[in-house]
Amino acid sequence: MSLIKILGVLLTFNFSVQATRHSHPLFAWETTPLDPINLARLVQDTNTSQYEHLFPCTGQKTPATPNRLSPGTCKVFPGDNDWPSPEAWDAFGKVLGGALIKTVPAAAVCYANTGLYDAQRCSQVQANFSNPYFHEDDPTSNFFPNFQGRTCLPTSDPRSSNCTHGAFPVYAVNATNVQQIQLAINFARNTNIRLVIKNTGHCYLGKSTGAGALSIWTHHLNDIRYFDDLKVDGFEQGGKALKIAPGATVRQVYEAADRNGVSVLGGICESVGYAGGYVAGGGHTPLSGLYGMAADHVLALQLVTAEGQFTTVSPKHNPDLYWALRGGGAGTFGVVTSVIIRAQPKLPVVTSTFSISTSDTVSAETFWKGMRGYFELFIPFTDAGTYSWWVLVNTNGNYVFSMSPFFAPNHTIESFNKLVKPWFDQLTELGIPFTPNTTQHDAYLPAWASTWGEDVMLNAAGGMNIAGNWLLPRRNWENRTKFEETFAVIKRHSESGRILMGYHQAPRNRANVDNAVNNAWREAVCFLILAAVIDAEPLAFTPGLIGAASREFRDEILAPFRAVAPESDGGGAYLNEAHVDDPNWREAFYGGHYERLSSIKQKWDPGHVFYATTAVGSERWEVRDGDQGIQTQNGRLCRT
Ligand SMILES: Cc1cc2nc3c(=O)[nH]c(=O)nc-3n(C[C@H](O)[C@H](O)[C@H](O)COP(=O)(O)OP(=O)(O)OC[C@H]3O[C@@H](n4cnc5c(N)ncnc54)[C@H](O)[C@@H]3O)c2cc1C
Ligand SMILES: *[C@@H]1O[C@H](CO)[C@@H](O)[C@H](O)[C@H]1NC(C)=O
Ligand SMILES: *[C@@H]1O[C@H](CO)[C@@H](O)[C@H](O)[C@H]1NC(C)=O
Ligand SMILES: *[C@@H]1O[C@H](CO)[C@@H](O)[C@H](O)[C@H]1NC(C)=O
Ligand SMILES: *[C@@H]1O[C@H](CO)[C@@H](O)[C@H](O)[C@H]1NC(C)=O
Ligand SMILES: *[C@@H]1O[C@H](CO)[C@@H](O)[C@H](O)[C@H]1NC(C)=O
Ligand SMILES: *[C@@H]1O[C@H](CO)[C@@H](O)[C@H](O)[C@H]1NC(C)=O
Ligand SMILES: *[C@@H]1O[C@H](CO)[C@@H](O)[C@H](O)[C@H]1NC(C)=O
């Protein structure tokens, strides 16, 4: 046995002792972080010493780096002289234990130019393109092709165009342990190439994709562990909690919580990655009326920093990161390998699903009186801890409003009926027919599973519309004049023929915590999802069409909502579902926290190893994508 191996064994032993002494529980694959000794052994075992300078964490024999932050400097791009050689990539793949994937766009099988054309496999890609899990299972595919640059959409005509990588990262690390994540960060930093983190690929803004990048793919890190009585820093009193790795989906987390007799705060879409973008962005939830945002209940996280160090983030360890990682947005402070979140008790839930519409007997005027009856009650509805999701469609003056569902945790059918009586009585008086399916459930999981969890979110992927959102504050309801103005904006939006989707909900700061969640969430009673629809087949999209839709979104669709609830007056946007080209994103997405978040970014990632569009620090960069109509990730990443 060589000396280095003996040292390695000794030090590995020391490190694992340290890990078990740690007050925060670790997953098995979090217990052996990279250090100089195991790296030296890894390099020796894989015969990669020629490239060993590419793998260490900052401060561990890293090469002197030139100033990479001067204006105009770009991240190294494929084809550049400095791009790592095939041998360097090969060595990287070896130290990763084979986890490096040279990526191929999912729809490459639909194109002749790739040499991979296969009619049958192509038709499967087409059939699955709206299925979230299809994109989730692929190392680089993502939900919303506009941000990728639409360079490899599934097509039935293999020769009509060529498939290129566009914004799909060129390499991905299929991470199954923390060491691989550290190595990936180190390799990207030491070679100055772009780094992307992809978990499920749900991002509404294209943050989980990037041209010429190395991607860390966290999909296969999907453990969930339940603790009946966990005591960690800052939560010495102990309690029920779950430790969750990023790749675990909202559905898996709900099921794990339910099996253990608890519930947990999560979103409505089953396929979102719980501990990745969801928690980092704040995380709204049907339980927000009782407990607030999901991020408000995060007790601790494990993080790999820009320097490649694996660390605990909690009220006592790195409190600045603890503050930022709960609401300040994903993809910019480090790679989260797990989150510990407090569990909540199982409580009964009432759901109610119904719709109202115009008809021979219900005029548009009557319909809007019924709508007003609903909106007027957002304060009592949110004060009663309830939440809703609804869709309002106007087809040539025929209106349909679908409540799907009204969600009332900790309510009985009796208390629910009492709560909605003023509205339901009014609908009856107006002669608007409706048949609510009001059902009592024993717990959160069955209530969610029989509503959003049915299959409603299984067609959510592949969307080509230009979307965004706005949060409307309670103060717009408390002042009668303001309410009238607000309701008029909602009505005009729908009258223009556009779809409106939204929620009544008020997370407030029910857990009384200090974190980076947008202050607009603390005031909101209404959350609206808005979109400009592009009337063309995806394959026929052009930068012109997309640009026109993006301007329509900003100037016609969003502007009236922003005017009636500006950032300076309690309004704002949820950064996880926002419009990527919002000119006022720092204020709108971060609600008063941007400066503090910027200084935390500066401290933990001064060299900007991490970049994601509209993430903290991103104003210092641009993606040079030419004119694609909207900000895509299909171009070089350069300093502004
Ligand atoms: C159909 C649909 C429904 C939704 N419903 C809800 C809802 O009810 N409530 C709600 O709050 N949100 C909801 N969202 C928004 C969702 O929370 C965000 O899209 C979220 O960013 C998805 O995170 P992800 O990790 O699954 O996706 P990804 O696209 O893989 O990642 C999103 C961002 O997080 C970063 N990231 C991912 N993993 C990590 C990690 N381990 N460490 C650091 N950064 C990471 C990525 O780099 C990227 O910037 C919904 C989205 C969709 C598409
Ligand atoms: C290690 O790599 C070198 C070239 O880089 C090669 O000559 C040598 O045979 C390799 N050794 C082993 C054990 O693979
Ligand atoms: C896609 O859809 C087809 C059915 O059309 C199915 O057989 C296949 O397994 C699905 N999944 C993938 C990953 O292609
Ligand atoms: C695809 O690429 C080839 C090679 O660059 C080129 O000759 C051809 O014209 C391209 N096809 C289309 C449809 O753009
Ligand atoms: C990624 O790793 C997992 C776990 O080892 C493995 O099952 C899966 O096949 C890998 N995926 C790819 C695309 O390499
Ligand atoms: C649920 O309702 C009960 C009875 O009204 C109440 O005591 C309890 O505090 C409520 N729980 C929450 C989390 O609001
Ligand atoms: C009513 O809603 C419940 C729960 O959401 C559902 O299980 C049931 O099938 C619905 N009933 C009808 C008649 O639609
Ligand atoms: C109510 O809102 C109107 C319109 O925005 C505003 O002019 C007025 O000052 C507000 N009243 C109060 C008491 O805040």
Side-chain angles (χ1 to χ4, degrees):
M1 205 188 245
S2 71
L3 181 61
I4 194 136
K5 282 200 176 160
I6 293 166
L7 265 175
V9 169
L10 287 173
L11 264 116
T12 310
F13 177 70
N14 258 339
F15 269 83
S16 61
V17 168
Q18 227 180 27
T20 51
R21 221 193 293 129
H22 216 288
S23 65
H24 292 81
L26 298 176
F27 288 129
W29 47 265
E30 290 178 319
T31 55
T32 322
L34 197 68
D35 61 66
I37 303 300
N38 61 29
L39 178 58
R41 194 180 43 190
L42 194 57
V43 165
Q44 185 181 313
D45 289 352
T46 54
N47 191 15
T48 52
S49 60
Q50 202 186 332
Y51 299 98
E52 68 181 328
H53 59 289
L54 300 179
F55 309 135
C57 302
T58 301
Q60 300 172 353
K61 284 205 312 190
T62 38
T65 49
N67 180 6
R68 293 158 164 181
L69 294 179
S70 52
T73 324
C74 301
K75 297 265 184 180
V76 174
F77 201 73
D80 290 354
N81 284 338
D82 289 343
W83 183 254
S85 65
E87 293 76 22
W89 284 107
D90 189 53
F92 180 43
K94 285 181 179 155
V95 297
L96 290 170
L100 186 66
I101 299 169
K102 198 165 193 312
T103 68
V104 176
V109 292
C110 298
Y111 289 83
N113 79 300
T114 59
L116 297 169
Y117 179 69
D118 179 328
Q120 198 187 337
R121 285 177 63 202
C122 176
S123 66
Q124 283 178 5
V125 174
Q126 285 175 315
N128 291 308
F129 210 66
S130 64
N131 180 349
Y133 293 108
F134 172 81
H135 300 282
E136 203 154 317
D137 287 343
D138 184 274
T140 59
S141 199
N142 53 78
F143 253 55
F144 300 112
N146 282 325
F147 306 111
Q148 184 275 333
R150 301 169 292 107
T151 70
C152 196
L153 288 169
T155 167
S156 341
D157 181 353
R159 287 175 206 284
S160 60
S161 56
N162 288 328
C163 164
T164 57
H165 256 80
F168 289 129
V170 286
Y171 285 93
V173 175
N174 184 4
T176 52
N177 64 53
V178 75
Q179 229 179 66
Q180 292 164 335
I181 294 174
Q182 294 175 283
L183 286 165
I185 292 172
N186 293 349
F187 185 82
R189 188 190 58 249
N190 293 333
T191 58
N192 196 26
I193 65 175
R194 184 171 177 186
L195 185 64
V196 156
I197 309 158
K198 183 198 165 186
N199 187 31
T200 67
H202 276 65
C203 185
Y204 268 73
L205 302 90
K207 289 181 177 179
S208 36
T209 190
L214 168 67
S215 176
I216 297 173
W217 186 35
T218 53
H219 174 60
H220 288 283
L221 297 173
N222 56 9
D223 305 55
I224 303 172
R225 194 192 298 169
Y226 172 72
F227 295 89
D228 207 39
D229 188 19
L230 183 70
K231 292 185 177 68
V232 289
D233 297 345
F235 298 90
E236 285 78 9
Q237 74 280 12
K240 299 181 197 305
L242 291 137
K243 179 173 162 81
I244 302 163
T249 61
V250 163
R251 177 180 282 275
Q252 289 166 341
V253 173
Y254 285 165
E255 288 172 350
D258 192 75
R259 271 198 304 280
N260 288 289
V262 293
S263 57
V264 65
L265 310 189
I268 67 175
C269 176
E270 65 170 79
S271 53
V272 164
Y274 191 91
Y278 172 76
V279 155
H284 72 85
T285 161
L287 293 173
S288 65
L290 301 184
Y291 306 108
M293 303 289 280
D296 299 347
H297 295 271
V298 168
L299 306 179
L301 309 93
Q302 292 298 135
L303 185 79
V304 185
T305 66
E307 297 196 334
Q309 302 291 353
F310 182 58
T311 186
T312 296
V313 174
S314 73
K316 285 190 184 158
H317 295 266
N318 309 311
D320 54 349
L321 284 173
Y322 179 64
W323 181 81
L325 290 172
R326 295 173 303 143
T332 193
F333 299 106
V335 178
V336 171
T337 64
S338 58
V339 159
I340 297 177
I341 190 161
R342 183 190 286 124
Q344 312 296 350
K346 264 192 186 174
L347 292 173
V349 176
V350 170
T351 59
S352 189
T353 307
F354 54 94
S355 62
I356 66 173
S357 57
T358 50
S359 65
D360 291 347
T361 56
V362 179
S363 67
E365 199 192 335
T366 305
F367 173 86
W368 278 106
K369 283 183 182 153
M371 281 290 86
R372 173 191 292 270
Y374 170 51
F375 280 91
E376 274 181 332
L377 293 168
F378 276 21
I379 287 181
F381 285 172
T382 52
D383 281 352
T386 70
Y387 177 102
S388 68
W389 163 246
W390 42 262
V391 182
L392 171 55
V393 179
N394 168 6
T395 319
N396 305 319
N398 299 312
Y399 292 91
V400 180
F401 172 83
S402 308
M403 175 60 81
S404 43
F406 199 121
F407 197 88
N410 208 21
H411 272 266
T412 59
I413 292 200
E414 206 182 0
S415 69
F416 172 80
N417 283 338
K418 192 168 163 221
L419 179 69
V420 295
K421 190 173 189 307
W423 181 30
F424 283 10
D425 281 356
Q426 188 191 15
L427 292 176
T428 305
E429 269 164 40
L430 288 165
I432 301 176
F434 69 110
T435 325
N437 173 358
T438 304
T439 303
Q440 172 89 52
H441 309 267
D442 294 341
Y444 180 81
L445 179 67
W448 171 84
S450 65
T451 53
W452 296 291
E454 280 266 84
D455 58 3
V456 282
M457 293 292 166
L458 288 185
N459 263 317
M464 301 294 288
N465 296 333
I466 304 300
N469 72 80
W470 205 248
L471 289 157
L472 299 174
R474 183 178 171 115
R475 61 179 88 164
N476 282 43
W477 268 251
E478 284 170 339
N479 172 332
R480 194 69 219 174
T481 319
K482 240 183 187 156
F483 174 76
E484 291 305 335
E485 289 168 4
T486 306
F487 188 67
V489 172
I490 290 166
K491 186 162 179 266
R492 271 200 301 274
H493 174 93
S494 179
E495 282 170 345
S496 75
R498 296 185 175 106
I499 189 170
L500 185 65
M501 298 182 281
Y503 305 77
H504 79 252
Q505 61 163 315
R508 298 187 204 157
N509 190 352
R510 294 177 195 271
N512 194 23
V513 292
D514 178 20
N515 63 24
V517 167
N518 188 339
N519 282 324
W521 270 121
R522 306 304 187 189
E523 289 210 43
V525 294
C526 179
F527 176 48
L528 298 175
I529 306 292
L530 305 161
V533 178
I534 305 179
D535 188 18
E537 284 301 308
L539 285 162
F541 274 31
T542 59
L545 281 172
I546 296 172
S550 183
R551 283 187 299 277
E552 178 195 344
F553 182 86
R554 192 186 57 213
D555 301 337
E556 292 171 42
I557 297 176
L558 184 62
F561 290 100
R562 175 172 245 148
V564 80
E567 291 86 334
S568 58
D569 207 5
Y574 181 32
L575 64 87
N576 267 351
E577 304 181 358
H579 181 53
V580 71
D581 278 329
D582 192 309
N584 198 36
W585 59 273
R586 276 177 265 189
E587 236 182 302
F589 298 5
Y590 296 91
H593 298 316
Y594 199 79
E595 262 175 51
R596 183 166 168 193
L597 287 165
S598 279
S599 64
I600 295 168
K601 170 77 174 175
Q602 182 60 28
K603 174 178 161 195
W604 287 94
D605 186 17
H608 290 246
V609 175
F610 299 107
Y611 164 87
T613 185
T614 72
V616 172
S618 61
E619 73 277 8
R620 300 172 72 181
W621 296 86
E622 62 186 3
V623 176
R624 296 193 183 150
D625 65 349
D627 181 16
Q628 306 217 12
I630 195 168
Q631 179 65 61
T632 74
Q633 296 309 306
N634 183 16
R636 253 180 209 269
L637 181 60
C638 302
R639 284 302 312 269
T640 46

